[in-house]
Amino acid sequence: MNYRELTAKAFSLRRDVLDMIYQSKGGHFGGDFSVMDILVTLYNLHLNVTPSNMGDPGRDRFILSKGHTVAALYAVLCDRGFFPKSDLETFSQFGSKYIGHPNNKVNGIEMNSGSLGHGLSVGVGMAIAGKMDAAGFRVYVIMGDGELAEGSVWEGAMAAGHYRLDNMTAVVDRNMLQISGLTEEIMTQDSQAERWSAFGWNVLEADGNDIKSLDLTIKEAKAFMGKPTVIIANTVKGFGYSEAENNAGWHHKVPDKEQYEAAKAELLRREADAV
């Protein structure tokens, strides 16, 4: 698929997320919408992960460390054929395996995540194993920028830099907001480049809501040798629905009927405009 088609797909999958959150009466709307383009780019253009190769030791590994945005991941996995779309209707329902954080009982999920700060360190372990086995797989980890206040993130970053894990790419969903407000007011993070560079990482930057920018930057990360790479993906929280964009109040919010219908209409317009 070309970039325009993938952009349209990302808006379409946001509609699936909208349905999941509205019907289940729970979910992390803002982060689901900001991270969607990153997930669509990875799963459609880069990850060697398919429903048929999940048992293959040579497959790529993907960890959604910001696990509270799992609705976006479920939508993408469903689109890639990991399970039927009817399964999404059970999101966050009693007895469903499609719970509000990644669950490795779901086909396509490598690890349970959502306790913030753990995903990078687990990914480092996977990347070290890949190096030890001279395997060709790559490891990708998506983190939220609010998550970077967790100390364990920097332990993992230090280890990845030390072991020169160039088979690893981390992506920071840099939407500048977390549940309690602006990331810079809660725990100052700039400059991201200086912080990650100090831990021995190659640092790249991308427009995290633009498929072409993400694709080209991920290609650059894959080609870089000698260090792990982090991509600072500058995104808009709630991207796709104007009322939710750059609005911390939509971090965890269920739209009412009027907002649901307005969001669906806007996403349909944006999907049509993309192609």
Side-chain angles (χ1 to χ4, degrees):
M1 301 181 77
N2 63 36
Y3 293 142
R4 293 178 68 86
E5 290 169 332
L6 288 173
T7 299
K9 179 188 287 290
F11 286 122
S12 174
L13 294 178
R14 284 180 175 92
R15 286 192 286 113
D16 290 341
V17 171
L18 174 67
D19 288 339
M20 293 161 67
I21 292 174
Y22 183 70
Q23 292 166 8
S24 69
K25 306 303 179 188
H28 291 78
F29 191 106
D32 282 319
F33 274 42
S34 69
V35 80
M36 180 62 80
D37 299 297
I38 303 169
L39 291 169
V40 166
T41 304
L42 283 172
Y43 274 91
N44 286 273
L45 298 177
H46 292 282
L47 282 174
N48 174 28
V49 178
T50 66
S52 61
N53 78 350
M54 282 302 293
D56 183 349
R59 74 189 182 281
D60 288 340
R61 272 64 167 178
F62 172 76
I63 297 172
L64 182 65
S65 190
K66 49 173 288 178
H68 54 283
T69 61
V70 73
L73 179 57
Y74 288 155
V76 171
L77 289 174
C78 176
D79 179 67
R80 299 300 295 166
F82 284 83
F83 45 81
K85 192 166 184 177
S86 57
D87 284 14
L88 297 182
E89 297 174 6
T90 72
F91 174 66
S92 286
Q93 301 299 307
F94 179 75
S96 172
K97 62 185 177 182
Y98 297 91
I99 57 178
H101 288 82
N103 172 19
N104 62 12
K105 294 180 181 178
V106 173
N107 191 28
I109 303 289
E110 291 284 355
M111 67 166 283
N112 297 356
S113 63
S115 182
L116 296 176
H118 292 181
L120 186 65
S121 292
V122 173
V124 167
M126 292 175 173
I128 290 173
K131 288 287 189 181
M132 292 175 68
D133 292 342
F137 66 79
R138 293 191 61 81
V139 179
Y140 295 86
V141 179
I142 294 180
M143 295 172 286
D145 51 1
E147 180 178 4
L148 301 187
E150 299 283 352
S152 53
V153 169
W154 301 105
E155 293 181 76
M158 181 167 54
H162 175 77
Y163 290 109
R164 300 182 179 276
L165 299 179
D166 52 13
N167 58 342
M168 181 173 201
T169 299
V171 182
V172 177
D173 181 3
R174 185 72 165 124
N175 61 38
M176 305 291 289
L177 289 169
Q178 56 195 94
I179 192 168
S180 44
L182 292 167
T183 56
E184 299 312 298
E185 293 180 356
I186 294 161
M187 188 61 67
T188 306
Q189 297 185 22
D190 284 337
S191 153
Q192 288 278 330
E194 292 176 358
R195 289 169 186 254
W196 287 95
S197 295
F199 282 83
W201 287 63
N202 174 45
V203 184
L204 302 175
E205 192 167 346
D207 181 339
N209 293 129
D210 181 87
I211 302 289
K212 181 178 180 180
S213 177
L214 286 163
D215 178 41
L216 295 177
T217 308
I218 294 167
K219 285 177 179 176
E220 188 176 348
K222 291 163 75 171
F224 190 89
M225 304 301 292
K227 293 181 180 181
T229 293
V230 60
I231 298 171
I232 310 303
N234 297 302
T235 64
V236 174
K237 193 147 191 155
F239 184 75
Y241 176 41
S242 299
E243 183 176 333
E245 290 183 352
N246 287 317
N247 187 337
W250 282 81
H251 177 91
H252 185 283
K253 181 177 174 65
V254 178
D256 60 27
K257 184 177 181 181
E258 182 178 348
Q259 292 166 330
Y260 169 77
E261 292 175 350
K264 178 156 284 192
E266 183 172 350
L267 290 168
L268 281 167
R269 288 197 302 271
R270 292 198 182 194
E271 180 183 347
D273 289 344
V275 293

